[in-house]
Amino acid sequence: MKKKLIRSTSEHFEKILQKTPDYIFLSPGRINIIGEHIDYNDGFVMPAAINKYICFAVSKNEDSRCMLIAKDLNETYEFDLKDELKPVDKMWANYILGVFHHLKNKGSIMGGFDVVFSSTIPMGAGLSSSAALECGIGYAMNALFDLGLTKEEIALIGQKAEHTFAGVNCGIMDQFASVFGEKNSVIKLDCTTLEYKYYKADFKKYSLLLLDSNVKHTHLTSGYNVRRQEVELGLAIIKQHFPEVRTFRNCTENMVLELKDVLGETVFRRCQFVVKEIQRVLDAAEALSNSDFKTLGRLMSETHQGLSKDYEVSCDEIDFLVDAVSSEKSVLGARMMGGGFGGCSINLVEKGAENELIERVSKQYRDAFGIELKPYKIKISKGTTLYKE
Ligand code: GLA
């Protein structure tokens, strides 16, 4: 599948630009085992890059003109590096323009180039196709123009692009996972310090199965940003009462419980979720190291309950998919994954049981919502790379 993507992207480049591309880059999507909505709350997350990619075929050109060709959408966008860059009404172009805007702000000197890109990361499925786009472009510019950026800087620029050119006030998880992914490794990332540790992604008798609900509710952007405001407000209140608290990391569940009335029902539930989820990631990392998959699965399912009932970022379709496997012996845990309001559920499933499960849940889902479920059996793969020079 990777080879096919690379071939078709290169061929498209050759067809349109009448030359072979000088470089091929691959930038992956990501999953997240556990630690949802806490990257912007100073928590820990456990993402991994997967074998679904955006492929970039790139060559420099002789001027300051940049030609972006989105093969899958059959669209192009052209801009000049000398222009002041602002968000435009083509969303996909914004992720790229945002990266250029921040690279220019940093003083990076780049020249013109032509790029064709194509993707096997489904859009709107919560697998971070936007982070793959941002980081792939950042990585490519770094390589083409010797910008001397670290991997961390590439991820941070991608995140800034998302904030300023896409309007999503996201955390760092997606970009970090896309850039720092390693084959067969899960990353435990401390979102306060950006320190990270790889854990062997060896699930023994089990595998990770994604079930794509095929829905994306429009309140993803607004709902996401509102959650951030709610927890920021919550933390400010907690700090007033407990001056020793600096971030959610040193805030205990008891403190949140004690302030229940002051915080108000909604903000209380949001903060309680955050504090519990931070602990769950630590427990999950330990469970993974001990190959204790029962515990890992239980923690994933607890995360889902929190995301659905307390953080309220799930939706009927995803809740249905999680419920549908909850009493299944072959499934140790299931939860919504990513920003929410649609996208995928991630399931820890006994190897060999996947197909039957997919068949059964697909039928139930079709009967309930009239929507086709899309299953993805994924592999944990390497982060953004230069494939060919
Ligand atoms: C989106 C954001 C991430 C993270 C997740 C939820 O994917 O881009 O930063 O907050 O949602 O965990």
Side-chain angles (χ1 to χ4, degrees):
M1 192 141 110
K2 182 162 99 181
K3 290 258 153 68
K4 203 168 135 204
L5 173 71
I6 293 168
R7 196 176 340 109
S8 68
T9 313
S10 295
E11 282 172 5
H12 197 72
F13 187 100
E14 281 167 40
K15 192 171 122 205
I16 309 263
L17 295 150
Q18 300 294 310
K19 57 181 180 182
T20 49
D22 291 335
Y23 304 85
I24 301 283
F25 298 91
L26 287 171
S27 193
R30 66 101 189 91
I31 53 164
N32 184 25
I33 311 289
I34 198 161
E36 219 64 89
H37 281 272
I38 52 168
D39 57 349
Y40 55 86
N41 281 315
D42 289 289
F44 299 95
V45 291
M46 283 187 77
I50 56 171
N51 59 336
K52 290 188 182 294
Y53 307 91
I54 302 183
C55 176
F56 301 83
V58 198
S59 283
K60 287 184 192 175
N61 61 35
E62 298 309 313
D63 47 37
S64 55
R65 199 182 43 79
C66 305
M67 167 81 98
L68 315 175
I69 302 169
K71 174 180 175 285
D72 309 338
L73 303 172
N74 205 10
E75 287 185 358
T76 59
Y77 187 81
E78 216 179 313
F79 68 98
D80 198 296
L81 276 169
K82 290 191 228 115
D83 295 343
E84 194 194 324
L85 302 176
K86 294 203 181 81
V88 294
D89 57 10
K90 251 190 192 37
M91 202 50 190
W92 64 265
N94 282 332
Y95 298 116
I96 300 178
L97 292 175
V99 169
F100 278 92
H101 174 77
H102 293 291
L103 282 174
K104 280 173 65 180
N105 270 358
K106 233 177 140 46
S108 301
I109 313 280
M110 295 162 287
F113 66 94
D114 302 310
V115 58
V116 169
F117 67 92
S118 175
S119 173
T120 51
I121 310 172
M123 281 200 301
L127 301 180
S128 298
S129 54
S130 59
L133 189 52
E134 293 148 3
C135 296
I137 280 290
Y139 196 97
M141 292 305 111
N142 194 35
L144 256 70
F145 300 107
D146 258 331
L147 303 181
L149 301 172
T150 62
K151 280 161 88 172
E152 187 179 304
E153 283 172 316
I154 294 172
L156 287 167
I157 284 172
Q159 182 196 22
K160 268 196 195 163
E162 188 100 22
H163 288 180
T164 50
F165 277 60
V168 181
N169 240 336
C170 65
I172 188 64
M173 171 171 80
D174 304 350
Q175 290 79 9
F176 201 93
S178 188
V179 177
F180 282 86
E182 284 294 343
K183 199 172 170 190
N184 296 330
S185 296
V186 172
I187 310 166
K188 181 179 146 214
L189 171 66
D190 177 338
C191 299
T192 308
T193 59
L194 296 190
E195 279 165 11
Y196 60 97
K197 186 175 162 195
Y198 292 107
Y199 284 69
K200 206 157 169 234
D202 180 3
F203 298 96
K204 312 263 190 238
K205 285 200 314 184
Y206 301 93
S207 68
L208 294 171
L209 172 68
L210 304 182
L211 298 177
D212 184 351
S213 65
N214 232 334
V215 296
K216 182 186 183 181
H217 292 292
T218 47
H219 39 289
L220 174 57
T221 305
S222 55
Y224 189 96
N225 292 343
V226 169
R227 290 301 170 278
R228 278 204 77 153
Q229 288 161 6
E230 289 166 341
V231 285
E232 273 161 23
L233 172 68
L235 184 61
I237 297 174
I238 295 168
K239 280 175 166 175
Q240 277 169 12
H241 291 79
F242 297 100
E244 68 273 30
V245 169
R246 278 186 298 115
T247 70
F248 275 112
R249 274 282 270 291
N250 52 1
C251 169
T252 64
E253 203 187 336
N254 277 343
M255 290 173 179
V256 181
L257 282 167
E258 213 172 291
L259 294 176
K260 187 169 178 183
D261 293 340
V262 192
L263 291 167
E265 177 61 25
T266 305
V267 174
F268 163 72
R269 280 189 288 121
R270 306 291 191 251
C271 295
Q272 193 184 34
F273 167 79
V274 170
V275 172
K276 284 183 163 180
E277 183 71 354
I278 291 176
Q279 184 57 44
R280 271 193 289 265
V281 181
L282 298 174
D283 297 344
E286 201 185 317
L288 184 58
S289 320
N290 298 333
S291 300
D292 177 359
F293 301 112
K294 274 214 171 101
T295 301
L296 180 61
R298 177 180 49 76
L299 292 164
M300 287 167 68
S301 299
E302 280 175 23
T303 291
H304 183 76
Q305 291 315 313
L307 288 166
S308 175
K309 305 273 170 346
D310 297 329
Y311 217 68
E312 294 180 284
V313 287
S314 186
C315 59
D316 291 347
E317 294 87 345
I318 292 284
D319 284 347
F320 182 95
L321 293 178
V322 171
D323 285 350
V325 300
S326 64
S327 50
E328 192 75 36
K329 271 217 177 70
S330 63
V331 181
L332 294 186
R335 63 176 200 84
M336 65 145 262
M337 191 183 74
F341 306 106
C344 287
S345 69
I346 177 166
N347 301 265
L348 188 58
V349 183
E350 212 171 289
K351 281 183 187 154
E354 298 97 330
N355 290 347
E356 213 185 302
L357 185 83
I358 290 167
E359 207 177 300
R360 186 174 62 69
V361 179
S362 297
K363 181 176 180 319
Q364 290 175 346
Y365 189 60
R366 197 179 308 119
D367 290 349
F369 294 97
I371 305 173
E372 279 310 311
L373 187 72
K374 283 200 258 160
Y376 310 125
K377 294 176 190 168
I378 40 92
K379 286 203 182 108
I380 295 188
S381 308
K382 196 168 165 40
T384 313
T385 45
L386 170 60
Y387 181 80
K388 174 214 126 178
E389 196 167 352

